[in-house]
Amino acid sequence: MFPFSFEWVWDMGHMVFFGGFWYAIGILSAGMTYCIVKAVLNTMNDSGESH
């Protein structure tokens, strides 16, 4: 079932699952944001490592 379905009931299993899911998504998005910001700053400052 989906959260927008009328039969949806927020029991403890759903709360734990979605809590862990959003925790993992938050960690992944924070890591990606850090990498993108660092790449942009290195490009603007020309302080990146040349190959």
Side-chain angles (χ1 to χ4, degrees), residues 7-40:
E7 294 88 20
W8 185 268
V9 176
W10 280 102
D11 58 355
M12 190 53 111
H14 287 105
M15 287 187 220
V16 169
F17 172 77
F18 281 112
F21 175 75
W22 286 113
Y23 182 72
I25 294 295
I27 289 174
L28 290 173
S29 62
M32 289 297 295
T33 302
Y34 171 77
C35 291
I36 291 169
V37 168
K38 187 170 172 75
V40 168

Side-chain angles (χ1 to χ4, degrees), residues 1-9:
M1 289 288 144
F2 296 105
F4 51 82
S5 179
F6 291 114
E7 294 88 20
W8 185 268
V9 176

